[in-house]
Amino acid sequence: MKVAIAVHGTRGDIEPAGAVAQELIRRGHEVRLAVPPNLVGFVASAGLPEAASYGVDSHQQLDHDLFRKLYTVRNPLEVLQEAREYASQGYQEMSATLTEIAADADLILTGTTYQDVAGNVAEHYDIPLAALHYFPFRPNRQALPVPLPLPMSVVRRGYSVVEWGHWRLLKPAEDIQRRELGLPPAKVRAIRRMAERGAVEIQAYDEVLFPGLAAELGPDKPLVGSMSMQLPTDTDDDVMSWIAAGTAPIYFGFGSMPVQSPVEAVTMIDQVCAELGERALISSGVWDLGDLQLGEHVKIVGPVNHTAVFPLCRVLVHHGGAGTTAAGVRSGIPAVVLWVSADQPVWAGQVSRLKIGASHRFSSTTPKVLRKALKTALRPDYQTRARAAAAAMTQPADSVARTVDLLEKAVCARR
């Protein structure tokens, strides 16, 4: 079969789709890819077919004031206008790109964001749509910010209101897209339309972090587990040598997350780890640290191989991205989640609730807060629970295989 894969977001959004693409190709299927322009090179370096540029630079989106201030109190009208402009960036370009690569496809696979773009193109071609959900964002009681004993009828109404609001936010852009595709104006929210067309909503995260969620979501939204390409990096040998030369370090890495002062953050890490007598391995990600001078107990590197490095650490301090959280839990090492924005508070909350780590908002983390969180994660009972959670996690290869089985089944059902 021919599959068009169009996913927007950071590397954490793209890599699971890349793993699915690898398995599709291994099974003899044809794959066409579209990713943000800043990640076209990553796709090529992973040995996948050349990807088309899809929408705007996702790193620049993360650096936008709206994203940085997502959890601050602001003027609602100002936020609404900014949100509409922010969410509509590149909307028509994504539609044009996906319309081109899906011209004779049997199925479209997309990610968690911009599903409405892919849904309209799939409707235009009358082909199945599948989406990878990287966190629970269909009606459920597991991922609520504050656990409340609410009946599902109330929960569903609440989600419907949020979904309707999101649709209205993007409706001007979607109206243009649907008109250009020759589709009638939409009268109901995008998520409802996709569900009515039988979209395959694959939950690409593990039930270990959401006990009981599979039963709540039902068989139409299968939990397959998280997926990763588990790629090696150029720093693997150097990092492994440094780890082997001393005591197990504490890992610090915040992926693509922009923060107000990376230098201050690293200085705090240096100070706290020195006080605790711990070594620190810092994956710098997108941070510009210049010629920062740190103690001998600190090593700064670029990207690291999570699969290889995480099991060799004492604690994992990260931003709470879906992929990083899953890799951390799979390693059996406790975490300290210092969340920044987006879905990260969801993962931070689950790590704390399951007592396999601690969590706090990055922007309000002080040396005292970090020191306390690390001491919590280093406790023996947290380490024991982390190892137990790891033993129950689904392996990425199994998650990928089940996902491709679901895609093949969706296409066969339409033939």
Side-chain angles (χ1 to χ4, degrees), residues 59-121:
H59 176 62
Q60 290 180 2
Q61 277 193 321
L62 291 180
D63 213 24
H64 193 282
D65 278 348
L66 182 70
F67 186 85
R68 288 175 175 270
K69 299 176 182 178
L70 191 59
Y71 292 93
T72 59
V73 178
R74 300 174 60 201
N75 183 309
L77 294 177
E78 179 184 322
V79 172
L80 179 63
Q81 181 60 32
E82 284 188 19
R84 175 162 284 165
E85 293 174 358
Y86 176 85
S88 299
Q89 284 181 322
Y91 199 99
Q92 306 311 327
E93 290 85 349
M94 283 188 281
S95 178
T97 298
L98 183 51
T99 301
E100 180 178 348
I101 70 169
D104 59 347
D106 298 297
L107 175 141
I108 293 174
L109 175 66
T110 191
T112 301
T113 59
Y114 297 107
Q115 288 186 13
D116 34 14
V117 174
N120 288 326
V121 176

Side-chain angles (χ1 to χ4, degrees), residues 24-45:
L24 284 165
I25 293 169
R26 190 190 70 80
R27 295 190 189 188
H29 304 304
E30 180 183 334
V31 171
R32 298 167 192 166
L33 293 157
V35 301
N38 53 304
L39 289 165
V40 169
F42 163 70
V43 168
S45 69

Side-chain angles (χ1 to χ4, degrees), residues 184-222:
K187 296 182 179 180
V188 297
R189 63 188 188 275
I191 289 174
R192 179 175 165 184
R193 280 181 275 126
M194 288 185 281
E196 289 174 348
R197 290 195 71 250
V200 182
E201 298 186 339
I202 299 168
Q203 312 305 304
Y205 48 87
D206 209 291
E207 192 177 9
V208 170
L209 284 154
F210 298 96
L213 182 59
E216 196 167 275
L217 290 178
D220 292 338
K221 297 176 178 61

